[in-house]
PDB file of all heavy atoms in Angstrom:
ATOM      1  N   THR A1332      -5.502 -47.991 -20.120  1.00  0.00           N
ATOM      2  CA  THR A1332      -4.856 -47.868 -21.424  1.00  0.00           C
ATOM      3  C   THR A1332      -3.552 -48.632 -21.515  1.00  0.00           C
ATOM      4  O   THR A1332      -2.947 -48.699 -22.589  1.00  0.00           O
ATOM      5  CB  THR A1332      -4.574 -46.386 -21.739  1.00  0.00           C
ATOM      6  OG1 THR A1332      -3.739 -45.834 -20.708  1.00  0.00           O
ATOM      7  CG2 THR A1332      -5.868 -45.596 -21.813  1.00  0.00           C
ATOM      8  N   ASN A1333      -3.079 -49.180 -20.405  1.00  0.00           N
ATOM      9  CA  ASN A1333      -1.847 -49.952 -20.371  1.00  0.00           C
ATOM     10  C   ASN A1333      -0.640 -49.124 -20.812  1.00  0.00           C
ATOM     11  O   ASN A1333       0.236 -49.613 -21.526  1.00  0.00           O
ATOM     12  CB  ASN A1333      -1.955 -51.203 -21.254  1.00  0.00           C
ATOM     13  CG  ASN A1333      -1.417 -52.436 -20.551  1.00  0.00           C
ATOM     14  OD1 ASN A1333      -0.395 -52.369 -19.895  1.00  0.00           O
ATOM     15  ND2 ASN A1333      -2.115 -53.554 -20.703  1.00  0.00           N
ATOM     16  N   GLN A1334      -0.575 -47.864 -20.367  1.00  0.00           N
ATOM     17  CA  GLN A1334       0.527 -46.974 -20.693  1.00  0.00           C
ATOM     18  C   GLN A1334       1.400 -46.789 -19.455  1.00  0.00           C
ATOM     19  O   GLN A1334       0.890 -46.642 -18.343  1.00  0.00           O
ATOM     20  CB  GLN A1334       0.005 -45.619 -21.180  1.00  0.00           C
ATOM     21  CG  GLN A1334      -0.818 -45.699 -22.456  1.00  0.00           C
ATOM     22  CD  GLN A1334       0.013 -46.183 -23.638  1.00  0.00           C
ATOM     23  OE1 GLN A1334       0.981 -45.544 -24.033  1.00  0.00           O
ATOM     24  NE2 GLN A1334      -0.382 -47.325 -24.196  1.00  0.00           N
ATOM     25  N   VAL A1335       2.715 -46.781 -19.675  1.00  0.00           N
ATOM     26  CA  VAL A1335       3.679 -46.662 -18.586  1.00  0.00           C
ATOM     27  C   VAL A1335       4.323 -45.280 -18.633  1.00  0.00           C
ATOM     28  O   VAL A1335       4.794 -44.841 -19.698  1.00  0.00           O
ATOM     29  CB  VAL A1335       4.765 -47.753 -18.682  1.00  0.00           C
ATOM     30  CG1 VAL A1335       5.795 -47.581 -17.557  1.00  0.00           C
ATOM     31  CG2 VAL A1335       4.140 -49.130 -18.619  1.00  0.00           C
ATOM     32  N   THR A1336       4.329 -44.608 -17.489  1.00  0.00           N
ATOM     33  CA  THR A1336       5.034 -43.341 -17.315  1.00  0.00           C
ATOM     34  C   THR A1336       6.150 -43.582 -16.302  1.00  0.00           C
ATOM     35  O   THR A1336       5.904 -44.118 -15.222  1.00  0.00           O
ATOM     36  CB  THR A1336       4.082 -42.247 -16.808  1.00  0.00           C
ATOM     37  OG1 THR A1336       2.980 -42.128 -17.718  1.00  0.00           O
ATOM     38  CG2 THR A1336       4.802 -40.921 -16.681  1.00  0.00           C
ATOM     39  N   HIS A1337       7.387 -43.176 -16.636  1.00  0.00           N
ATOM     40  CA  HIS A1337       8.510 -43.514 -15.757  1.00  0.00           C
ATOM     41  C   HIS A1337       9.482 -42.360 -15.641  1.00  0.00           C
ATOM     42  O   HIS A1337       9.565 -41.495 -16.537  1.00  0.00           O
ATOM     43  CB  HIS A1337       9.234 -44.751 -16.282  1.00  0.00           C
ATOM     44  CG  HIS A1337      10.004 -44.504 -17.556  1.00  0.00           C
ATOM     45  ND1 HIS A1337       9.394 -44.363 -18.788  1.00  0.00           N
ATOM     46  CD2 HIS A1337      11.344 -44.361 -17.787  1.00  0.00           C
ATOM     47  CE1 HIS A1337      10.305 -44.161 -19.720  1.00  0.00           C
ATOM     48  NE2 HIS A1337      11.502 -44.157 -19.147  1.00  0.00           N
ATOM     49  N   VAL A1338      10.207 -42.371 -14.549  1.00  0.00           N
ATOM     50  CA  VAL A1338      11.309 -41.442 -14.306  1.00  0.00           C
ATOM     51  C   VAL A1338      12.428 -42.231 -13.647  1.00  0.00           C
ATOM     52  O   VAL A1338      12.206 -43.313 -13.100  1.00  0.00           O
ATOM     53  CB  VAL A1338      10.883 -40.259 -13.392  1.00  0.00           C
ATOM     54  CG1 VAL A1338       9.827 -39.410 -14.059  1.00  0.00           C
ATOM     55  CG2 VAL A1338      10.395 -40.781 -12.039  1.00  0.00           C
ATOM     56  N   TYR A1339      13.643 -41.679 -13.702  1.00  0.00           N
ATOM     57  CA  TYR A1339      14.785 -42.290 -13.036  1.00  0.00           C
ATOM     58  C   TYR A1339      15.070 -41.498 -11.764  1.00  0.00           C
ATOM     59  O   TYR A1339      15.162 -40.254 -11.780  1.00  0.00           O
ATOM     60  CB  TYR A1339      16.003 -42.292 -13.948  1.00  0.00           C
ATOM     61  CG  TYR A1339      15.797 -43.156 -15.170  1.00  0.00           C
ATOM     62  CD1 TYR A1339      15.448 -42.597 -16.393  1.00  0.00           C
ATOM     63  CD2 TYR A1339      15.929 -44.535 -15.099  1.00  0.00           C
ATOM     64  CE1 TYR A1339      15.244 -43.379 -17.516  1.00  0.00           C
ATOM     65  CE2 TYR A1339      15.736 -45.336 -16.221  1.00  0.00           C
ATOM     66  CZ  TYR A1339      15.388 -44.751 -17.419  1.00  0.00           C
ATOM     67  OH  TYR A1339      15.178 -45.537 -18.519  1.00  0.00           O
ATOM     68  N   SER A1340      15.206 -42.214 -10.652  1.00  0.00           N
ATOM     69  CA  SER A1340      15.343 -41.583  -9.347  1.00  0.00           C
ATOM     70  C   SER A1340      16.713 -41.881  -8.761  1.00  0.00           C
ATOM     71  O   SER A1340      17.318 -42.926  -9.041  1.00  0.00           O
ATOM     72  CB  SER A1340      14.257 -42.077  -8.387  1.00  0.00           C
ATOM     73  OG  SER A1340      12.965 -41.901  -8.953  1.00  0.00           O
ATOM     74  N   ALA A1341      17.162 -40.948  -7.936  1.00  0.00           N
ATOM     75  CA  ALA A1341      18.420 -41.158  -7.220  1.00  0.00           C
ATOM     76  C   ALA A1341      18.203 -41.962  -5.951  1.00  0.00           C
ATOM     77  O   ALA A1341      19.094 -42.688  -5.508  1.00  0.00           O
ATOM     78  CB  ALA A1341      19.068 -39.810  -6.890  1.00  0.00           C
ATOM     79  N   ASN A1342      17.005 -41.831  -5.353  1.00  0.00           N
ATOM     80  CA  ASN A1342      16.689 -42.543  -4.117  1.00  0.00           C
ATOM     81  C   ASN A1342      15.218 -42.916  -4.133  1.00  0.00           C
ATOM     82  O   ASN A1342      14.424 -42.407  -4.933  1.00  0.00           O
ATOM     83  CB  ASN A1342      16.989 -41.667  -2.892  1.00  0.00           C
ATOM     84  CG  ASN A1342      18.455 -41.312  -2.767  1.00  0.00           C
ATOM     85  OD1 ASN A1342      19.278 -42.153  -2.463  1.00  0.00           O
ATOM     86  ND2 ASN A1342      18.788 -40.050  -3.027  1.00  0.00           N
ATOM     87  N   LYS A1343      14.859 -43.791  -3.212  1.00  0.00           N
ATOM     88  CA  LYS A1343      13.461 -44.117  -2.987  1.00  0.00           C
ATOM     89  C   LYS A1343      12.977 -43.278  -1.812  1.00  0.00           C
ATOM     90  O   LYS A1343      13.238 -43.618  -0.650  1.00  0.00           O
ATOM     91  CB  LYS A1343      13.291 -45.604  -2.677  1.00  0.00           C
ATOM     92  CG  LYS A1343      13.609 -46.536  -3.830  1.00  0.00           C
ATOM     93  CD  LYS A1343      13.351 -47.978  -3.448  1.00  0.00           C
ATOM     94  CE  LYS A1343      13.636 -48.935  -4.582  1.00  0.00           C
ATOM     95  NZ  LYS A1343      13.354 -50.345  -4.211  1.00  0.00           N
ATOM     96  N   ASN A1344      12.292 -42.175  -2.101  1.00  0.00           N
ATOM     97  CA  ASN A1344      11.830 -41.297  -1.039  1.00  0.00           C
ATOM     98  C   ASN A1344      10.589 -40.549  -1.488  1.00  0.00           C
ATOM     99  O   ASN A1344      10.105 -40.704  -2.618  1.00  0.00           O
ATOM    100  CB  ASN A1344      12.932 -40.321  -0.613  1.00  0.00           C
ATOM    101  CG  ASN A1344      13.511 -39.553  -1.801  1.00  0.00           C
ATOM    102  OD1 ASN A1344      12.816 -39.305  -2.786  1.00  0.00           O
ATOM    103  ND2 ASN A1344      14.775 -39.174  -1.701  1.00  0.00           N
ATOM    104  N   THR A1345      10.085 -39.719  -0.602  1.00  0.00           N
ATOM    105  CA  THR A1345       8.841 -38.985  -0.869  1.00  0.00           C
ATOM    106  C   THR A1345       9.029 -37.982  -1.996  1.00  0.00           C
ATOM    107  O   THR A1345       8.108 -37.764  -2.805  1.00  0.00           O
ATOM    108  CB  THR A1345       8.392 -38.279   0.409  1.00  0.00           C
ATOM    109  OG1 THR A1345       8.183 -39.257   1.433  1.00  0.00           O
ATOM    110  CG2 THR A1345       7.094 -37.524   0.190  1.00  0.00           C
ATOM    111  N   ALA A1346      10.190 -37.356  -2.075  1.00  0.00           N
ATOM    112  CA  ALA A1346      10.418 -36.359  -3.117  1.00  0.00           C
ATOM    113  C   ALA A1346      10.272 -36.954  -4.509  1.00  0.00           C
ATOM    114  O   ALA A1346       9.700 -36.322  -5.413  1.00  0.00           O
ATOM    115  CB  ALA A1346      11.808 -35.745  -2.938  1.00  0.00           C
ATOM    116  N   GLU A1347      10.762 -38.166  -4.713  1.00  0.00           N
ATOM    117  CA  GLU A1347      10.633 -38.812  -6.016  1.00  0.00           C
ATOM    118  C   GLU A1347       9.181 -39.169  -6.312  1.00  0.00           C
ATOM    119  O   GLU A1347       8.737 -39.104  -7.468  1.00  0.00           O
ATOM    120  CB  GLU A1347      11.517 -40.055  -6.063  1.00  0.00           C
ATOM    121  CG  GLU A1347      12.999 -39.775  -5.921  1.00  0.00           C
ATOM    122  CD  GLU A1347      13.529 -38.917  -7.043  1.00  0.00           C
ATOM    123  OE1 GLU A1347      12.964 -38.976  -8.156  1.00  0.00           O
ATOM    124  OE2 GLU A1347      14.494 -38.169  -6.818  1.00  0.00           O
ATOM    125  N   MET A1348       8.417 -39.569  -5.287  1.00  0.00           N
ATOM    126  CA  MET A1348       7.000 -39.836  -5.491  1.00  0.00           C
ATOM    127  C   MET A1348       6.268 -38.566  -5.917  1.00  0.00           C
ATOM    128  O   MET A1348       5.426 -38.582  -6.816  1.00  0.00           O
ATOM    129  CB  MET A1348       6.390 -40.392  -4.200  1.00  0.00           C
ATOM    130  CG  MET A1348       6.673 -41.854  -3.921  1.00  0.00           C
ATOM    131  SD  MET A1348       5.815 -42.959  -5.082  1.00  0.00           S
ATOM    132  CE  MET A1348       7.149 -43.312  -6.207  1.00  0.00           C
ATOM    133  N   ILE A1349       6.595 -37.459  -5.263  1.00  0.00           N
ATOM    134  CA  ILE A1349       5.949 -36.181  -5.623  1.00  0.00           C
ATOM    135  C   ILE A1349       6.301 -35.801  -7.055  1.00  0.00           C
ATOM    136  O   ILE A1349       5.445 -35.331  -7.823  1.00  0.00           O
ATOM    137  CB  ILE A1349       6.374 -35.091  -4.623  1.00  0.00           C
ATOM    138  CG1 ILE A1349       5.808 -35.404  -3.232  1.00  0.00           C
ATOM    139  CG2 ILE A1349       5.917 -33.712  -5.092  1.00  0.00           C
ATOM    140  CD1 ILE A1349       6.251 -34.439  -2.150  1.00  0.00           C
ATOM    141  N   ARG A1350       7.559 -36.025  -7.457  1.00  0.00           N
ATOM    142  CA  ARG A1350       7.965 -35.689  -8.825  1.00  0.00           C
ATOM    143  C   ARG A1350       7.195 -36.517  -9.849  1.00  0.00           C
ATOM    144  O   ARG A1350       6.749 -36.003 -10.882  1.00  0.00           O
ATOM    145  CB  ARG A1350       9.469 -35.926  -8.983  1.00  0.00           C
ATOM    146  CG  ARG A1350      10.037 -35.515 -10.334  1.00  0.00           C
ATOM    147  CD  ARG A1350      11.543 -35.330 -10.244  1.00  0.00           C
ATOM    148  NE  ARG A1350      12.219 -36.599 -10.084  1.00  0.00           N
ATOM    149  CZ  ARG A1350      12.760 -37.288 -11.114  1.00  0.00           C
ATOM    150  NH1 ARG A1350      12.666 -36.810 -12.345  1.00  0.00           N
ATOM    151  NH2 ARG A1350      13.389 -38.412 -10.885  1.00  0.00           N
ATOM    152  N   LEU A1351       6.989 -37.823  -9.579  1.00  0.00           N
ATOM    153  CA  LEU A1351       6.238 -38.666 -10.505  1.00  0.00           C
ATOM    154  C   LEU A1351       4.776 -38.245 -10.555  1.00  0.00           C
ATOM    155  O   LEU A1351       4.161 -38.186 -11.641  1.00  0.00           O
ATOM    156  CB  LEU A1351       6.354 -40.136 -10.096  1.00  0.00           C
ATOM    157  CG  LEU A1351       5.572 -41.136 -10.934  1.00  0.00           C
ATOM    158  CD1 LEU A1351       6.047 -41.144 -12.375  1.00  0.00           C
ATOM    159  CD2 LEU A1351       5.658 -42.540 -10.345  1.00  0.00           C
ATOM    160  N   ILE A1352       4.183 -37.904  -9.401  1.00  0.00           N
ATOM    161  CA  ILE A1352       2.766 -37.508  -9.383  1.00  0.00           C
ATOM    162  C   ILE A1352       2.575 -36.200 -10.139  1.00  0.00           C
ATOM    163  O   ILE A1352       1.561 -36.006 -10.843  1.00  0.00           O
ATOM    164  CB  ILE A1352       2.268 -37.401  -7.932  1.00  0.00           C
ATOM    165  CG1 ILE A1352       2.330 -38.781  -7.254  1.00  0.00           C
ATOM    166  CG2 ILE A1352       0.839 -36.873  -7.888  1.00  0.00           C
ATOM    167  CD1 ILE A1352       2.037 -38.747  -5.776  1.00  0.00           C
ATOM    168  N   GLU A1353       3.514 -35.271 -10.035  1.00  0.00           N
ATOM    169  CA  GLU A1353       3.408 -34.025 -10.794  1.00  0.00           C
ATOM    170  C   GLU A1353       3.415 -34.290 -12.290  1.00  0.00           C
ATOM    171  O   GLU A1353       2.674 -33.661 -13.058  1.00  0.00           O
ATOM    172  CB  GLU A1353       4.567 -33.093 -10.409  1.00  0.00           C
ATOM    173  CG  GLU A1353       4.437 -32.503  -9.007  1.00  0.00           C
ATOM    174  CD  GLU A1353       5.651 -31.661  -8.635  1.00  0.00           C
ATOM    175  OE1 GLU A1353       6.703 -31.798  -9.316  1.00  0.00           O
ATOM    176  OE2 GLU A1353       5.566 -30.885  -7.668  1.00  0.00           O
ATOM    177  N   ILE A1354       4.254 -35.237 -12.732  1.00  0.00           N
ATOM    178  CA  ILE A1354       4.266 -35.596 -14.149  1.00  0.00           C
ATOM    179  C   ILE A1354       2.929 -36.202 -14.564  1.00  0.00           C
ATOM    180  O   ILE A1354       2.387 -35.900 -15.647  1.00  0.00           O
ATOM    181  CB  ILE A1354       5.428 -36.560 -14.431  1.00  0.00           C
ATOM    182  CG1 ILE A1354       6.765 -35.866 -14.186  1.00  0.00           C
ATOM    183  CG2 ILE A1354       5.356 -37.095 -15.856  1.00  0.00           C
ATOM    184  CD1 ILE A1354       7.961 -36.785 -14.313  1.00  0.00           C
ATOM    185  N   LEU A1355       2.351 -37.039 -13.694  1.00  0.00           N
ATOM    186  CA  LEU A1355       1.062 -37.674 -14.021  1.00  0.00           C
ATOM    187  C   LEU A1355      -0.056 -36.646 -14.090  1.00  0.00           C
ATOM    188  O   LEU A1355      -0.926 -36.708 -14.976  1.00  0.00           O
ATOM    189  CB  LEU A1355       0.734 -38.759 -12.987  1.00  0.00           C
ATOM    190  CG  LEU A1355       1.656 -39.983 -12.956  1.00  0.00           C
ATOM    191  CD1 LEU A1355       1.250 -40.928 -11.842  1.00  0.00           C
ATOM    192  CD2 LEU A1355       1.620 -40.715 -14.293  1.00  0.00           C
ATOM    193  N   THR A1356      -0.076 -35.679 -13.157  1.00  0.00           N
ATOM    194  CA  THR A1356      -1.140 -34.664 -13.182  1.00  0.00           C
ATOM    195  C   THR A1356      -1.038 -33.787 -14.416  1.00  0.00           C
ATOM    196  O   THR A1356      -2.064 -33.324 -14.948  1.00  0.00           O
ATOM    197  CB  THR A1356      -1.058 -33.804 -11.917  1.00  0.00           C
ATOM    198  OG1 THR A1356       0.274 -33.263 -11.800  1.00  0.00           O
ATOM    199  CG2 THR A1356      -1.388 -34.628 -10.683  1.00  0.00           C
ATOM    200  N   THR A1357       0.174 -33.556 -14.897  1.00  0.00           N
ATOM    201  CA  THR A1357       0.330 -32.767 -16.128  1.00  0.00           C
ATOM    202  C   THR A1357      -0.070 -33.585 -17.351  1.00  0.00           C
ATOM    203  O   THR A1357      -0.757 -33.080 -18.262  1.00  0.00           O
ATOM    204  CB  THR A1357       1.793 -32.296 -16.261  1.00  0.00           C
ATOM    205  OG1 THR A1357       2.158 -31.537 -15.104  1.00  0.00           O
ATOM    206  CG2 THR A1357       1.975 -31.443 -17.505  1.00  0.00           C
ATOM    207  N   LYS A1358       0.359 -34.856 -17.395  1.00  0.00           N
ATOM    208  CA  LYS A1358       0.070 -35.706 -18.556  1.00  0.00           C
ATOM    209  C   LYS A1358      -1.411 -36.048 -18.647  1.00  0.00           C
ATOM    210  O   LYS A1358      -1.976 -36.138 -19.745  1.00  0.00           O
ATOM    211  CB  LYS A1358       0.908 -36.971 -18.460  1.00  0.00           C
ATOM    212  CG  LYS A1358       0.796 -37.896 -19.654  1.00  0.00           C
ATOM    213  CD  LYS A1358       1.734 -39.077 -19.520  1.00  0.00           C
ATOM    214  CE  LYS A1358       1.634 -40.008 -20.713  1.00  0.00           C
ATOM    215  NZ  LYS A1358       2.564 -41.167 -20.579  1.00  0.00           N
TER     216      LYS A1358
END
């Protein structure tokens, strides 16, 4: 669908990846 889902992160780490995946599973 060419749709972008984004978040702003404080660091590049596993916790931020988990936060983005949780948003994707909900959306």
Side-chain angles (χ1 to χ4, degrees):
T1332 58
N1333 225 318
Q1334 298 296 298
V1335 178
T1336 304
H1337 70 285
V1338 296
Y1339 295 100
S1340 306
N1342 297 289
K1343 293 183 179 181
N1344 53 30
T1345 301
E1347 297 298 332
M1348 282 291 99
I1349 293 176
R1350 184 161 71 97
L1351 177 62
I1352 296 172
E1353 288 176 343
I1354 295 175
L1355 294 177
T1356 54
T1357 303
K1358 185 176 180 180

